[in-house]
Amino acid sequence: MPGLSPVRGLGAEAGRAAVRLVRLPVDIAVEGVEQLTGWIGHARPARPTEWSRPPSADATVPVLLVHGLADREWVTSSLRRGLDGCGAGPFVTVSYNALSPDIRTAARVLGDQVETVHACGGARPVVLIGYSLGGLIARYYVQRLGGDRCVPLLITLATPHAGTATALLAPPHPLLRQLRPGSDVLTELAGPATGCRTRFVAFYSDLDEAVVPAARGRIDHPHLKARNVLVPGVGHLTLPLHQPVIDQMRSLLTAAGQAVAAA
């Protein structure tokens, strides 16, 4: 896949990092307000207007966007704009509490939201797109909690499928501990998964400063139908907004929508 030169990639990533540093205090404050209003330990539910309003005429498959640990609307809103008009929809932003006890709990709450969208959409299949930790939560739901029943396609972006060395140096956050190579959750995901019907597409980068080494962003599992797409020279924050990645996701969603329409 087309990427960036290392110099351009580092420059783009530095720019994204600066923007995130400015917005991070606001995101943390919003998270705190949500906790104080009674959402502690629960995912932020999908907004009813996002899945109850009629989709556009060419939208055939709902798409749920799951953010990473330290980001919120900045990724999902950009993805919405980039993917609009590809024949899929509606696009539903789902979330989880950053203080959730573990990936399994977050995956169960995600599953509840998927079931809601699945039912409100007339039992149509649902596509998941997960960025960073959000991709791992979505994978756990699909692979271990039976989500493959209604999720034909899961796209992950910069997700540490095999863990990351950076988690060894991170604070003892409950979710970050599960990103350490060899954690109980990652060991569980590496176990047998015969019969899993979902197709996986994992976009990863050789310049990802959060997923180290880069190969840990791949899905290498003998029982999963997975395609790994290397995006050279693109950092962790830049990858989900990289135009060639957006273009490939549009193609994947268009094909998924056509498959649903033809079924």
Side-chain angles (χ1 to χ4, degrees):
M1 161 175 283
L4 298 174
S5 68
V7 173
R8 288 187 61 195
L10 288 171
E13 188 71 359
R16 298 286 182 195
V19 172
R20 286 300 299 134
L21 286 174
V22 171
R23 297 188 58 171
L24 189 58
V26 176
D27 289 345
I28 292 174
V30 170
E31 184 78 17
V33 170
E34 290 179 353
Q35 293 167 5
L36 291 175
T37 56
W39 290 357
I40 297 178
H42 299 280
R44 180 167 59 104
R47 300 179 184 87
T49 55
E50 290 181 303
W51 48 257
S52 60
R53 66 172 176 245
S56 60
D58 64 342
T60 54
V61 55
V63 181
L64 273 62
L65 308 173
V66 190
H67 67 73
L69 181 63
D71 60 82
R72 294 171 62 86
E73 297 294 336
W74 77 272
V75 164
T76 54
S77 61
S78 297
L79 286 175
R80 283 169 176 266
R81 291 192 297 269
L83 299 174
D84 187 48
C86 69
F91 289 90
V92 180
T93 300
V94 298
S95 187
Y96 54 89
N97 193 300
L99 298 180
S100 177
D102 63 6
I103 286 173
R104 296 181 183 94
T105 299
R108 285 193 291 271
V109 179
L110 170 61
D112 292 340
Q113 298 176 74
V114 171
E115 292 294 336
T116 298
V117 174
H118 180 61
C120 291
R124 286 181 297 167
V126 177
V127 171
L128 296 179
I129 298 177
Y131 169 59
S132 193
L133 176 62
L136 204 58
I137 291 170
R139 177 182 169 186
Y140 191 93
Y141 163 65
V142 166
Q143 183 180 332
R144 303 298 301 174
L145 300 180
D148 63 316
R149 176 182 58 83
C150 57
V151 179
L153 174 65
L154 167 58
I155 301 171
T156 68
L157 307 162
T159 292
H161 287 286
T164 173
T166 58
L168 298 172
L169 305 175
H173 187 287
L175 289 174
L176 290 177
R177 284 198 299 268
Q178 294 183 327
L179 297 182
R180 295 171 179 174
S183 72
D184 57 342
V185 167
L186 296 179
T187 299
E188 187 178 350
L189 288 174
T194 54
C196 184
R197 292 161 285 189
T198 300
R199 183 164 62 98
F200 300 80
V201 179
F203 292 90
Y204 72 105
S205 172
D206 58 358
L207 196 67
D208 193 323
E209 70 281 9
V211 182
V212 180
R216 293 188 177 275
R218 298 170 50 91
I219 299 177
D220 293 315
H221 193 295
H223 299 152
L224 299 181
K225 295 173 288 187
R227 178 163 72 92
N228 297 295
V229 182
L230 174 63
V231 188
V234 176
H236 189 79
L237 299 175
T238 306
L239 188 142
L241 311 179
H242 187 50
Q243 191 58 49
V245 173
I246 295 291
D247 292 342
Q248 278 214 27
M249 285 196 292
R250 289 179 63 87
S251 297
L252 290 167
L253 294 178
T254 298
Q258 291 172 346
V260 169

